[in-house]
Structures are given as structure tokens and as C-alpha cells.
Amino acid sequence: MGFSYYSALTQVIIVGFVCFLCPGMFNAVNGLGGGGQLDATAGNNANTALYSTFVVFGVLGGAIVNLCGVRWTIFGSGFTYALYSASYIYLNHKADGSFTIAAGALLGVGAGILWAAQGMIMVSYPREEEKGKYIAIFWTIFNLGGMLGGILPFAINYNSTSGSNSDGVYIAFVVLECLGSVMGLALAPPSKVTRSDGSSVVLVKYTSIGKETVGILKLFINPLMLALLPMCFTSNFFYSYQFDNINGALFNIRTRGFNNMFYWGFQMLGAYLISLLLDSKRFARKIRGFIAFGVVFVVFNAIWGGSLALHNKYPKGLELADRIDFKETHRAAGPIILYLVCGIGDALYQSFAYWIIGALSNDNLQLARYAGFYKGMQSFGAAIAWQLAAKKVSVGHQLIANWVLFGISIPSMLYVVWTIKEHSEDTHVKGDIDSDSYHADKSAEVVQGA
């Protein structure tokens, strides 16, 4: 199939660039440790507020997207990222974190909705045998944002080795995030999107508040969703440890940006490599799932083992170590390599999680709810992790918590992979979630192939 604006691939690329400019820039700010501030307290409390509201609106996000459509929900949600970045300019001048915390809470609302829309597009638009590839394409474009977000503070702060990010860094982020929000309007209505084989993404056109309410409530009695809870909870828990206690605690301000260029770059590598496995035709889908699980298991145990070795190297505490500059290769090499492996591990984990969710269904309405549930429960874990950081829980205890939670997620993750079928039963997709056509005759149906 040649290039088409209405193709599933084009739509995944567009939402990838939206996330490149909005969540990608947020990741860049967060990855600097404490939002790029010398004192991480405001950033940690803002992240707690963010993920607390994200819990609610992540779960509700799928229903909101199903009712209001992908374009306008992404458009509105994108501006909450810009407001959050702008709040750090205020923090630079007033040394008052209240605005940043409030902006974080509002961002949790926007992010929950945006990621539900993104998840629905990424895992329901491609054909079953292409889901790994589409996840990798999205993850690559999205993490280009994190790379750019690392280059900006590295370049702007190059002549500074201490302190917080300058206003110019945050202004650049605000401009890019506003552009990403507007780009959400470029998405096509799902009713017009076709897969690579020419089939339609959408079969039946409408949903309702009542259906969405029932659909959300059913998530909490769905055995597979409940089994995925530990995996969801753990999937962003490690960010506070990696961003604050490795990148933020050990390195000076310009080196944090330097590290983030490669952290997000290695995410692209990880997503690409696991996509080759997840879409491989050499193995049955369940076997691919078990092999991918084995890869994630090995890499994450290596990450936490390496983190333990790093922790033992600084017995007085990572946060008390002299700040490292990237030019001090004898000190910087080991921690930087560990941080880059953390980037690969994150991409492997997230790609695997989305692939599992995509393997459970082809129904775009249901996948919007699944994606929202995943992001909501993920945010529940992240809110707790960031509050542990804000309360100055010791780095050693944070490391233990991360490793134990990963261990707890293993049995249920294996169980869900065991239930995966070679083909999802609901291959006929139910529901046009775009509000532009919502007021048409609700008895109408689209009879194209799914």
C-alpha cells in the first residue's frame, strides 16, 4: 500500500510526533532529575500530584476518548504539558513550588486522556501481525522528543556545571509542546482510517456514556486486567529512582542533558529490537510472548544488579557524591552506561506491555479502555514512587522497592502471556470514537471488513 493520509501507519506516525512534542518534552524535563532544578523537592511533589490525578483520568481516559474523539481530546490535553513546563519558569524566579505542583495535577488530567487516545491508536489500528512494528515506530518517534529534549538543556547549559535549568530551556519546551497540541488536530477520524490490507479500522459507529461506564467498571472484574495490575503498577515506578538517584544525584546539569540524549536514543534501539521478535513469523504468538518476557526478565535484573553495585560504590549515599561531568570519563563511564541500559530496559518493558494489551483484543473501544487502565494503574505506582522520593526515603530502600515490585509482577505477567491466543476473537472492531460524526443517524453501521 502506498502512502495515504488515512492509512493506519500515517496516523500512528502523526500521534508519534504529537507525543514527540508533548510527553517527549515532559520526559526530557523529568529525566533531568527534579525537573532540572538543583532542589528536586518541587519537581517530586509535582510528579506526585501529576500521577495522583493521572490514576483517575488514566482509567477514565478511554471512556472520554471514546465519547469525544481522538483529535479534540489530544488537542486539549497537549496544552497541559506546556503549562507544566511554563511553571518551572515561575519556579526559577519565585522559588515557590505551589504553581508547579498545581500544574502537575492538571497535567495528570491531560496526560491520562492523551495516553488513552495514543494507546488506542497504536494497538488497535495495525493488523495483528504488525502490532510490534507499529509500537516500535511510535516509540522511536516519541523518544526522538526525549533526545531533542536532552540536546536542548545540554546545549543551552553547556557552559554551566551546576545550578538549575535556565528560562530558555523551559521556554523552548513550552513552544514545542504547544506545537504538539495543535498537531493533534491533524489526526483523521477513525471511521476513515484503513489498515495496510485495505480493511477498515472501525465497524460499528457509536458508543454512549452508559456503555462507557459499564465498560470501565468491567475492567475491575476482568481477570486479565487484574492479573496485569502488578505489571502496570511497576511499569513507571522506576522512573523516580533512575531520574533522581542516578541522573539527578550523580551528574552536573549539562551532563544530565548529555545523558538524556542517549537514554532516549537507546529507548529507540530497545523498541526496534524487541519489535523484530514480537512480529516474527518464526514463532507462534504465545512463544514470542514468552521469549520477550525472558528478555525483559534478564535486562531488568541486570539493571537492578548494576544499580546495587553503584549504590555500594557510594556508601555515604549517591546524593552526597561529588557531581560528575561527562568529561571525567574514569568516573562517568560506569554510571552513564548503567543509565543507558535503563533506557533500553524501559523501552523493552513498555513495548512488551503494549504488545500484550494489543494481543488481548482488536476492538478499538475496548483497547482504548485497556490502554487507559494500563496508564491509570501505571500512574498509581508512579505517584507512590515520586512521593517516596519527595519524602527523602533512602536510595537503598527505593532500590529494594523497585526490585521487589518487579519480582512480584513476574508470575501474573507469565499468566497473561500464557492466555494469549494466536488470533484475537473480536476481529470485528466495534466503535467509531470520533465525535465529528456522533450526531449522525445512530442506527447506521459501517459494513467494511475489519
Side-chain angles (χ1 to χ4, degrees):
M1 173 181 277
F3 173 81
S4 169
Y5 168 66
Y6 293 108
S7 72
L9 179 58
T10 301
Q11 298 304 303
V12 169
I13 289 172
I14 291 173
V15 81
F17 276 106
V18 170
C19 291
F20 166 105
L21 292 165
C22 291
M25 294 302 109
F26 167 79
N27 280 346
V29 172
N30 239 20
L32 295 170
Q37 299 288 306
L38 186 60
D39 183 355
T41 302
N44 289 339
N45 284 324
N47 274 305
T48 301
L50 188 165
Y51 287 110
S52 296
T53 54
F54 203 152
V55 172
V56 177
F57 282 88
V59 175
L60 296 179
I64 293 170
V65 171
N66 287 346
L67 291 166
C68 301
V70 293
R71 290 181 295 178
W72 291 104
T73 50
I74 287 179
F75 172 72
S77 298
F79 285 111
T80 62
Y81 286 88
L83 179 66
Y84 180 76
S85 293
S87 73
Y88 281 99
I89 301 173
Y90 179 85
L91 181 61
N92 269 351
H93 292 273
K94 299 295 184 181
D96 179 1
S98 57
F99 179 34
T100 302
I101 295 169
L106 185 59
L107 175 55
V109 175
I113 298 169
L114 183 145
W115 279 106
Q118 174 275 335
M120 184 278 294
I121 291 171
M122 186 175 70
V123 298
S124 74
Y125 280 18
R127 293 185 295 142
E128 287 185 345
E129 58 269 32
E130 297 176 325
K131 291 191 178 187
K133 180 179 77 173
Y134 278 51
I135 291 169
I137 289 171
F138 167 82
W139 213 253
T140 298
I141 297 171
F142 163 50
N143 284 305
L144 280 171
M147 280 192 71
L148 175 62
I151 292 169
L152 286 173
F154 176 63
I156 294 172
N157 295 317
Y158 186 80
N159 293 320
S160 172
T161 57
S162 61
S164 301
N165 272 322
S166 66
D167 288 355
V169 173
Y170 297 118
I171 291 170
F173 287 146
V174 170
V175 171
L176 292 170
E177 287 159 345
C178 287
L179 178 61
S181 178
V182 173
M183 189 176 287
L185 297 177
L187 289 163
S191 57
K192 297 182 180 180
V193 178
T194 56
R195 296 192 172 104
S196 58
D197 60 0
S199 62
S200 175
V201 165
V202 170
L203 186 67
V204 182
K205 297 182 74 172
Y206 303 104
T207 186
S208 67
I209 293 175
K211 289 180 181 178
E212 290 305 318
T213 300
V214 172
I216 289 174
L217 292 175
K218 284 183 176 180
L219 292 174
F220 293 93
I221 57 172
N222 183 323
L224 291 179
M225 288 296 101
L226 294 177
L228 286 176
L229 262 175
M231 182 188 76
C232 299
F233 185 90
T234 306
S235 60
N236 269 12
F237 196 92
F238 47 77
Y239 277 167
S240 63
Y241 181 87
Q242 294 172 1
F243 294 160
D244 273 10
N245 298 320
I246 299 179
N247 202 30
L250 285 177
F251 300 99
N252 62 31
I253 191 68
R254 71 178 183 181
T255 305
R256 294 188 223 172
F258 175 84
N259 292 345
N260 271 356
M261 287 190 288
F262 293 98
Y263 179 92
W264 301 112
F266 273 68
Q267 290 243 6
M268 293 186 282
L269 175 64
Y272 170 72
L273 291 176
I274 199 168
S275 75
L276 299 179
L277 168 62
L278 295 176
D279 284 345
S280 173
K281 296 180 180 179
R282 295 179 57 191
F283 307 104
R285 186 150 72 160
K286 185 182 295 187
I287 298 300
R288 281 176 270 153
F290 281 124
I291 296 172
F293 166 81
V295 172
V296 170
F297 178 85
V298 170
V299 170
F300 264 83
N301 278 295
I303 287 171
W304 299 129
S307 298
L308 179 61
L310 181 65
H311 178 77
N312 290 336
K313 187 177 179 180
Y314 295 93
K316 293 182 180 180
L318 297 177
E319 66 279 8
L320 298 178
D322 292 334
R323 302 276 172 163
I324 302 172
D325 188 78
F326 72 97
K327 292 184 177 181
E328 301 175 81
T329 53
H330 65 288
R331 295 182 63 212
I336 288 177
I337 290 171
L338 174 62
Y339 192 59
L340 303 188
V341 176
C342 288
I344 292 177
D346 184 27
L348 295 176
Y349 197 108
Q350 307 294 344
S351 298
F352 182 48
Y354 273 115
W355 181 83
I356 290 174
I357 291 170
L360 299 179
S361 176
N362 289 320
D363 180 335
N364 64 309
L365 285 181
Q366 189 66 355
L367 285 173
R369 299 181 194 119
Y370 285 173
F373 181 86
Y374 172 66
K375 297 302 292 188
M377 297 302 102
Q378 177 186 75
S379 300
F380 182 35
I384 294 174
W386 284 108
Q387 191 53 210
L388 292 177
K391 296 296 185 184
K392 310 296 184 184
V393 172
S394 74
V395 175
H397 287 148
Q398 290 184 51
L399 171 58
I400 292 170
N402 274 284
W403 210 341
V404 168
L405 285 171
F406 178 70
I408 291 172
S409 71
I410 288 170
S412 57
M413 202 185 304
L414 282 171
Y415 166 73
V416 176
V417 172
W418 179 258
T419 68
I420 290 175
K421 299 177 181 178
E422 192 62 27
H423 298 286
S424 299
E425 294 177 357
D426 49 350
T427 54
H428 292 282
V429 183
K430 307 171 185 177
D432 180 356
I433 60 175
D434 193 273
S435 58
D436 291 351
S437 59
Y438 188 79
H439 297 292
D441 178 7
K442 295 191 177 182
S443 64
E445 291 187 355
V446 178
V447 292
Q448 299 155 307

